[in-house]
Amino acid sequence: ALTGYTVAEMGALDLIGRISAEYRRHISGRLERQARGEEVSHETEFSLITKAGDLRWVRTTSSGTVIDGKPAHILVALDITAHKRAEELIREGEERYRALIEHSPLGILYANEQGNIQVVNRAMVAILGSPSAAATLQINLLTFPPLVESGAAAAFRACLDTDRTQSLEIPYRSKWGKDIYARLIATPMHDAGGAVNGLQVMLEDVTGTRSATQALRDSERRLADLIDGLPDGLSVIGPGGTRTMVNRTLCEMTGFTRDELVGERPPFALWPPEHIVAIRAAFEEMRSGKLRSAELTFMRRDGGRFPVHVRPAYLRDARGEITASIASIMDITERKRAEEALRQSEERYRALAESAQDFIFIVNNRGLVEYVNTHAAREFGHPPEALVGRSVAELFPGDGPRHMDYV
C-alpha cells in the first residue's frame, strides 16, 4: 500500500532505485556498512517514488538477519508523509512569521520570563537608535534603569505576573540617547502547557503623531476660546436637528449651562411656549438652508423673555447637502429699548407739532417736504399727505428761492 506495488512486484523490485536521488547514495551506504557488520543507526528517514510516481516519506527501522543461510535485511517502514508535510507547513509558516516580524514597521521583541531579550527586529533597533541587534539584546526589560524609571518595567512585570496584555504611552530616552514618545504593548507568551514563559513587546514611535495631535488640540482650544469670546451667542445644529455645540456667550445670555443645551432636540428649552409656532417655522426654514435672518423671542432659564436676532450660516458637503447650521444669536434687548424710546419720542414730538398753531414743515436737503403739521396743511387747503413730497418752491412761489437758500 505504501509504494503501490503488489507483493509479487515488490519481490522483483529494485527498491534502491525507487528511493529519491538525494537519499539513494546514503541508503545504499548504510546497507553496505550493515552487510560488513559495521554499527549503523537502525532508524532513518528518506523519500521514495511510488508506482504512481508520487513522492512518499518513510521512517524505516532495519535489522540484519539470515534467510536460507544468506545475510538479509528486515526493513520496517512507516509512512510519515503527512507528518513531513505538516512539518514543512509549520516551517514555511514560521519563516513567513519571522519575515513579517523582521519587516514590520513596528518594533518587536521577545523576552523570557526573566526579562532577557531573545529576539529583536530591525525596526526596534532603529526606533531605539541602537547600533545593532546584539547591543539591544543586552538590555533586561525588568531591571534596565530607564525602563524602571519610566514605568515600562512595571508594565512588563504585570504582563508576566497577571497573564494579561499591558499597554502604555510614555516619553522615553533610550540607552543610546534617542528621545521618543513610545506606545508599548506587552503580550504574554505561553509554553505548550499554557504557562507564561515570556512576553512579546511591540513598540511604536508616536512622537510625530503626538506632536501633530497636540498641535491639533492646541488649535482646537484656541478656536474654542475664540468662539467662546464672541460677543454673540453661537449654536450649532447637526443634520438631525440636534444641537451639537454652544459657546459661553449663549450660556451667559440664557442662564443655561453648556451641558443643558448641547444634545437637545427641538423644542429647545430656549423656546417660550407662546412663541413656539413662529420659532419652529424659522427653525425648519433654517434647516432647509432658506433662512437668512429672523427676529424672535427666546426664554432664559429663569423664565424671562428677551428678543434676539438670529443669523444662520451653513456647512455643506461635496454634494451641497447641509451638514450643520451655525446660528449667530444677538440679544437685541437694548436695541429694542432704544427703538421703543425713539418711537415714543417721535410720538411726543408729533403730538406737540400737531397741536401747534404755527406752520411746521420738515424739509429734506433737496427742498422736498417730508412732514407738515395739520395747521399748516389746513392753511394750504390740503390734507397733510397731499403736501408731502412737494417742493418748498412750489408751496411758496414768491419766497421759494430764499427758502431754498435756507435749505
Side-chain angles (χ1 to χ4, degrees):
L2 177 61
T3 63
Y5 292 99
T6 65
V7 174
E9 289 173 329
M10 287 293 291
L13 184 68
D14 176 14
L15 184 58
I16 296 298
R18 303 307 298 173
I19 296 175
S20 301
E22 62 267 34
Y23 293 100
R24 197 173 298 155
R25 180 178 296 179
H26 170 68
I27 299 301
S28 296
R30 283 173 55 87
L31 294 175
E32 290 173 1
R33 289 197 300 275
Q34 276 186 325
R36 292 195 298 267
E38 297 178 13
E39 187 69 26
V40 296
S41 172
H42 294 292
E43 289 189 0
T44 188
E45 294 179 1
F46 58 91
S47 58
L48 54 79
I49 310 298
T50 67
K51 183 178 180 180
D54 298 326
L55 187 70
R56 308 290 292 183
W57 277 91
V58 295
R59 179 183 294 125
T60 63
T61 302
S62 63
S63 59
T65 188
V66 176
I67 300 177
D68 296 334
K70 296 180 180 181
H73 298 279
I74 297 175
L75 187 69
V76 179
L78 175 66
D79 186 352
I80 60 170
T81 304
H83 176 72
K84 281 293 187 180
R85 287 175 179 168
E87 285 184 343
E88 180 64 17
L89 289 174
I90 292 172
R91 185 188 63 77
E92 291 176 354
E94 288 178 344
E95 287 180 356
R96 286 194 296 269
Y97 184 62
R98 193 174 295 111
L100 180 65
I101 291 174
E102 188 60 24
H103 295 91
S104 170
L106 298 177
I108 300 175
L109 63 79
Y110 294 94
N112 61 21
E113 55 190 329
Q114 287 77 42
N116 297 314
I117 300 174
Q118 308 293 303
V119 177
V120 61
N121 71 345
R122 288 184 294 183
M124 180 69 78
V125 172
I127 292 172
L128 296 177
S130 171
S132 66
T136 310
L137 293 175
Q138 302 305 309
I139 294 174
N140 184 286
L141 298 184
L142 304 178
T143 61
F144 185 54
L147 291 175
V148 173
E149 293 166 6
S150 67
F156 299 150
R157 171 53 66 192
C159 175
L160 293 167
D161 291 346
T162 65
D163 194 12
R164 291 184 178 180
T165 297
Q166 305 289 322
S167 63
L168 71 162
E169 290 189 7
I170 53 170
Y172 182 69
R173 169 169 286 188
S174 76
K175 178 180 179 180
W176 301 278
K178 186 174 180 181
D179 291 311
I180 61 172
Y181 206 93
R183 178 181 294 146
L184 293 163
I185 301 175
T187 306
M189 307 297 290
H190 305 86
D191 60 21
V196 175
N197 66 350
L199 72 162
Q200 170 189 277
V201 177
M202 289 191 295
L203 166 65
E204 182 180 6
D205 181 359
V206 295
T207 306
T209 303
R210 187 173 178 82
S211 297
T213 301
Q214 187 61 46
L216 178 61
R217 287 175 181 168
D218 291 343
S219 176
E220 289 175 343
R221 185 164 51 251
R222 287 193 297 270
L223 178 60
D225 290 343
L226 177 63
I227 291 173
D228 273 342
L230 291 174
D232 294 341
L234 196 75
S235 174
V236 180
I237 306 297
T242 302
R243 184 187 284 117
T244 59
M245 190 185 81
V246 296
N247 70 345
R248 184 174 56 220
T249 305
L250 185 63
C251 295
E252 293 172 349
M253 183 188 300
T254 63
F256 289 97
T257 66
R258 203 181 301 262
D259 289 341
E260 289 173 320
L261 295 177
V262 172
E264 266 196 310
R265 293 182 59 83
F268 297 132
L270 300 173
W271 296 0
E274 69 274 17
H275 293 283
I276 200 166
V277 174
I279 295 175
R280 185 180 288 279
F283 180 78
E284 294 303 326
E285 193 176 354
M286 180 182 73
R287 288 190 62 197
S288 68
K290 297 177 182 178
L291 185 67
R292 294 294 173 263
S293 66
E295 288 192 3
L296 304 168
T297 300
F298 277 3
M299 181 172 65
R300 295 188 178 89
R301 197 175 193 282
D302 61 8
R305 273 60 168 170
F306 66 104
V308 295
H309 183 233
V310 179
R311 297 187 307 275
Y314 305 101
L315 297 180
R316 300 178 186 271
D317 60 20
R319 297 174 300 174
E321 300 291 331
I322 294 175
T323 58
S325 303
I326 305 171
S328 173
I329 302 168
M330 177 188 296
D331 182 349
I332 56 174
T333 301
E334 292 304 319
R335 195 191 82 187
K336 286 293 186 181
R337 285 174 181 165
E339 289 176 351
E340 179 61 20
L342 178 60
R343 185 188 64 77
Q344 291 178 6
S345 175
E346 287 179 344
E347 286 183 356
R348 287 194 297 269
Y349 174 78
R350 186 177 295 275
L352 179 63
E354 289 298 313
S355 64
Q357 298 301 306
D358 299 318
F359 287 12
I360 300 176
F361 289 84
I362 296 178
V363 182
N364 64 23
N365 59 2
R366 293 179 298 162
L368 301 180
V369 176
E370 291 189 347
Y371 168 79
V372 57
N373 69 345
T374 301
H375 177 73
R378 189 182 300 119
E379 291 297 323
F380 279 89
H382 296 286
E385 59 268 19
L387 301 180
V388 172
R390 297 173 68 175
S391 69
V392 173
E394 181 183 355
L395 296 178
F396 300 96
D399 294 330
R402 182 166 56 87
H403 290 310
M404 286 302 294
D405 287 341
Y406 290 152
V407 173

